[in-house]
Amino acid sequence: METVIGLEIHAQLKTETKLFCGCRADSAGPPNSRTCPVCLGMPGALPVLNKRAVELAIRAALAFHCEIHPRSSFARKNYFYPDLPKGYQISQYDEPLASGGWLELGERRIGLRRLHLEEDAAKLVHQGGRSLIDFNRAGVPLIEIVTEPEVRSPREARELLQAVRRTLRYIGVSNCDMEKGELRCDANISLRCGDRAGTRTEIKNLNSFRALEEALAFEEARQRALLLAGREVEQQTLDWDEASGRAVPIRGKEEAEDYRYFPEPDLPPLLISSDWLEEVKRGLPELPEERRRRWRAEYGLPEYDIEVLTEEREIADYFEAAVRLFPHPKEVSNWMMTELLRLAKEGELRLKPADFAQILRLVEEGKLNRSAGKELLEECYRTGKGPEELLQERDLLQISDAGELSAVVSAVLAENPQAAADYKGGKEQALSFLLGQVMRKTKGKADPKLARALLLEGLGPNRT
Ligand code: ADP
Ligand code: MG
Ligand code: ZN
């Protein structure tokens, strides 16, 4: 039995205003404060298409290698539900903005069916036995990306959604903040036996990577058990109940005819000129997959480093800026991954790449040892001061002056005759102890290589 999965992914476009009116499209603001006759569905109110939303949808379609149609159109998708003030959603149906295309997943390519524009519905809030409606979200622009049923496992579905998120964030199309519902997905799954296709079920509104993977794993196991028992899978729409870890049926699957799709009479066809298309293309940055390929060739970094550092565009840009100033990619990567990203965990990368590169250079030149370098980096990060300024204020420069350091070494040897004798008697670890003492006396500022050499010189030959 083979698992067959296809996703329908919704992402909120990063526009100032809604898809068909001038109301703000952000989620801030008290409930129902961002509304007007258009997004409240008042009779006679007319939609006007938001050009920026179209541009962002085109960007996404280009990034996913879709064919973008010079002419597409809007349609009304009718259904009756309190979150839908007009009684229909304006979407695209038989003439979507874009079709075809693919997404890269490591070595695999997952085909896309279509990418289209649509408006979001309002938000229902169920509390204290009542249901409240917030229309702030009604009319917010979304793109829907529909994949081919080419995903083979719940794990792969998760990776696919992660790749979509990475790309959309990279190209500035959506923030994809899943906690705010800016990226969500419906997952379709069936099990194929040989060349006999199975009946599929659809799990609605999955809004975290974990929910997606767990819901699909649950449904995969449920369908498999049914089929192995010689029973049939029923075509259904399911809701994922996170608390119980079960997918529960909400209704029989609706068919396209249930929605009575028809052309939206209040909007003209959407025409995209080749000039505009070219202009949007020129504005597109290097995509994460392209960047990964280039880095593999250019920097020779381990795959893990490449994955971590290309996950967000800001971080990848930072890495490249730092490498230009300090051309040791692996060293830059190490310091970024262990130090900088740890500091920046909750915030942005406040340290300038030039200051970061300078600290690495000071370490490289032996003016700072590694631990002093880390300390300086943290200080710069927290205070916003440059490394030069802080070095003057604080006494961090490494002691690499042999004269100054041999005085310390002599003192350490005199104070620790036992350790010295142990070393001479063949106990290697005694040397680390003595080196530790030198570091302590210099508050960590001794150049470790030089200190070690001086110690060996002072100790003379050992027996081994
Ligand atoms: P609908 O019109 O019912 O929404 P579509 O044909 O547009 O159906 O497909 C919706 C989603 O279901 C797509 O992501 C597609 O890949 C997926 N899908 C289609 N057939 C199957 C199947 N047999 N098993 C799993 N997913 C499927
Ligand atoms: Mg569908
Ligand atoms: Zn409005």
Side-chain angles (χ1 to χ4, degrees):
M1 251 181 270
E2 199 189 352
T3 302
V4 179
I5 295 170
L7 302 181
E8 295 164 270
I9 301 164
H10 289 93
Q12 179 177 333
L13 298 174
K14 215 163 134 179
T15 55
E16 294 269 310
T17 56
K18 293 186 180 179
L19 188 53
F20 300 117
C21 63
C23 294
R24 294 194 61 81
D26 57 39
S27 55
N32 296 308
S33 62
R34 303 192 179 325
T35 58
C36 73
V38 173
C39 57
L40 287 175
M42 300 293 185
L46 292 173
V48 177
L49 182 59
N50 180 339
K51 185 173 179 189
R52 177 75 180 150
V54 180
E55 185 188 326
L56 293 177
I58 296 175
R59 275 176 93 95
L62 286 168
F64 296 131
H65 320 278
C66 304
E67 182 193 344
I68 295 160
H69 303 297
R71 180 200 151 103
S72 64
S73 65
F74 289 93
R76 292 186 177 180
K77 180 180 181 179
N78 296 278
Y79 66 93
F80 182 72
Y81 205 63
D83 67 1
L84 200 66
K86 297 192 291 292
Y88 58 85
Q89 176 192 26
I90 304 179
S91 180
Q92 294 191 291
Y93 183 53
D94 49 1
E95 294 184 298
L97 174 74
S99 52
W102 73 85
L103 236 137
E104 252 172 81
L105 218 54
E107 302 288 284
R108 297 238 303 132
R109 264 189 191 184
I110 308 288
L112 299 182
R113 272 192 185 168
R114 54 190 278 144
L115 185 154
H116 70 248
L117 272 163
E118 64 185 30
E119 59 176 343
D120 207 349
K123 193 165 101 189
L124 289 175
V125 186
H126 307 285
Q127 53 176 229
R130 292 188 305 171
S131 291
L132 307 171
I133 310 182
D134 180 3
F135 287 98
N136 285 359
R137 216 178 65 188
V140 160
L142 304 176
I143 45 171
E144 177 171 344
I145 303 164
V146 183
T147 77
E148 292 290 348
E150 294 175 353
V151 181
R152 291 187 189 144
S153 69
R155 178 80 218 170
E156 195 171 71
R158 178 199 189 115
E159 284 165 12
L160 181 76
L161 191 61
Q162 282 168 333
V164 167
R165 180 172 189 269
R166 180 164 56 238
T167 299
L168 293 179
R169 284 172 61 85
Y170 236 80
I171 59 179
V173 159
S174 172
N175 287 330
C176 295
D177 185 337
M178 299 182 85
E179 307 218 315
K180 291 190 190 153
E182 292 174 357
L183 180 69
R184 39 193 207 263
C185 131
D186 304 335
N188 297 269
I189 176 168
S190 66
L191 297 184
R192 180 166 45 213
C193 306
D195 53 8
R196 222 192 77 212
T199 307
R200 73 173 139 127
T201 56
E202 175 173 7
I203 315 166
K204 286 297 223 190
N205 279 319
L206 295 160
N207 51 16
S208 72
F209 296 121
R210 198 175 131 200
L212 173 64
E213 189 175 354
E214 288 182 359
L216 281 171
F218 171 88
E219 195 43 24
E220 186 182 46
R222 190 187 69 90
Q223 291 186 10
R224 172 166 295 130
L226 279 174
L227 295 173
L228 288 177
R231 293 166 56 197
E232 298 268 315
V233 173
E234 195 185 331
Q235 184 159 342
Q236 274 176 328
T237 302
L238 310 166
D239 227 353
W240 176 240
D241 181 28
E242 192 114 43
S244 67
R246 305 175 61 81
V248 290
I250 43 177
R251 54 177 181 249
K253 167 95 182 89
E254 59 286 82
E255 299 292 335
E257 47 265 39
D258 296 337
Y259 290 124
R260 293 185 301 115
Y261 276 101
F262 64 84
E264 166 59 66
D266 293 336
L267 287 164
L270 171 55
L271 305 177
I272 293 161
S273 71
S274 52
D275 284 353
W276 191 27
L277 197 58
E278 281 310 310
E279 191 186 318
V280 179
K281 223 178 252 178
R282 278 195 299 275
L284 216 58
E286 185 181 33
L287 298 169
E289 288 309 326
E290 292 166 7
R291 200 164 204 172
R292 287 181 173 184
R293 265 195 292 276
R294 180 168 60 78
W295 282 24
R296 275 177 210 126
E298 228 165 85
Y299 300 129
L301 288 173
E303 197 54 31
Y304 176 75
D305 297 36
I306 292 180
E307 270 181 31
V308 172
L309 294 173
T310 53
E311 183 64 30
E312 298 277 341
R313 184 174 169 195
E314 194 201 1
I315 292 170
D317 288 347
Y318 194 101
F319 172 84
E320 298 211 273
V323 166
R324 270 195 291 279
L325 299 164
F326 183 75
H328 304 277
K330 182 58 185 154
E331 198 64 7
V332 171
S333 164
N334 288 347
W335 281 76
M336 275 189 77
M337 295 206 297
T338 55
E339 303 305 314
L340 199 56
L341 294 185
R342 177 174 58 81
L343 290 168
K345 222 180 318 178
E346 325 86 47
E348 70 288 33
L349 294 163
R350 255 176 293 143
L351 187 64
K352 288 199 212 78
D355 288 346
F356 177 66
Q358 195 188 352
I359 295 169
L360 299 200
R361 204 174 308 116
L362 288 165
V363 174
E364 159 96 0
E365 288 166 356
K367 297 199 175 116
L368 284 176
N369 66 33
R370 296 189 83 82
S371 69
K374 289 177 184 177
E375 210 177 304
L376 181 64
L377 191 143
E378 189 155 344
E379 285 279 307
C380 290
Y381 192 85
R382 298 208 187 286
T383 60
K385 293 181 183 171
E388 290 295 347
E389 188 184 351
L390 276 171
L391 278 177
Q392 308 225 321
E393 275 176 31
R394 304 191 56 234
D395 186 23
L396 281 171
L397 280 185
Q398 178 159 287
I399 304 171
S400 22
D401 176 73
E404 194 178 334
L405 208 52
S406 44
V408 180
V409 166
S410 307
V412 165
L413 288 177
E415 286 160 21
N416 299 281
Q418 186 58 50
D422 286 350
Y423 176 77
K424 282 170 169 287
K427 237 172 112 185
E428 273 299 318
Q429 310 97 289
L431 184 62
S432 314
F433 170 78
L434 290 166
L435 192 55
Q437 297 306 304
V438 174
M439 293 313 253
R440 221 177 76 181
K441 263 195 191 311
T442 56
K443 301 200 181 67
K445 289 183 297 173
D447 173 349
K449 275 199 210 111
L450 182 60
R452 191 186 153 86
L454 290 170
L455 272 171
L456 287 173
E457 200 182 297
L459 285 162
N462 69 2
R463 264 222 310 254
T464 50

